Amino acid sequence: MEKVNALGRRKSAVARVYVTPGKGNIVVNGREVNEYFSEGSLLYIVNQPFEVTNTAGQFDVKANIDGGGVKGQAEALRLGISRALCEIDKEAYRAALKSNGFLTRDAREVERKKPGQPGARRRFQFSKR
């Protein structure tokens, strides 16, 4: 098996993921994953697909992530890794990944601000007089 690539998106973050057989190294935008996602909960999100499929330490991941915040980037990376694992061995990994919801693209986006009001839904305070 050679390099498998996949795309993960969440909010406005886009992760292009390349998975190869290896020792479990994850490199994001040229930096180690521990350095890029310093918070423990974000590292947990990124490693979830490997834990669910019992493949921790079997694949190397190289990812390029654009846009969004750190949480959206971590979840985009999780979706990209899940899709790549599914492409590697569909019958072995797909059921576990799908049952945990890692193959579903979370389509929720930020609603745009409307003219004449301070936010997307928020209105200026009403004054009767």
Side-chain angles (χ1 to χ4, degrees), residues 51 61 69 71 88 128:
E51 292 169 14
V61 176
K71 172 93 169 174
I88 289 167
K128 195 167 194 177

Side-chain angles (χ1 to χ4, degrees), residues 63-81:
N64 296 319
I65 305 180
D66 290 326
V70 287
K71 172 93 169 174
Q73 288 184 349
E75 292 183 1
L77 182 56
R78 177 177 69 186
L79 177 61
I81 291 170

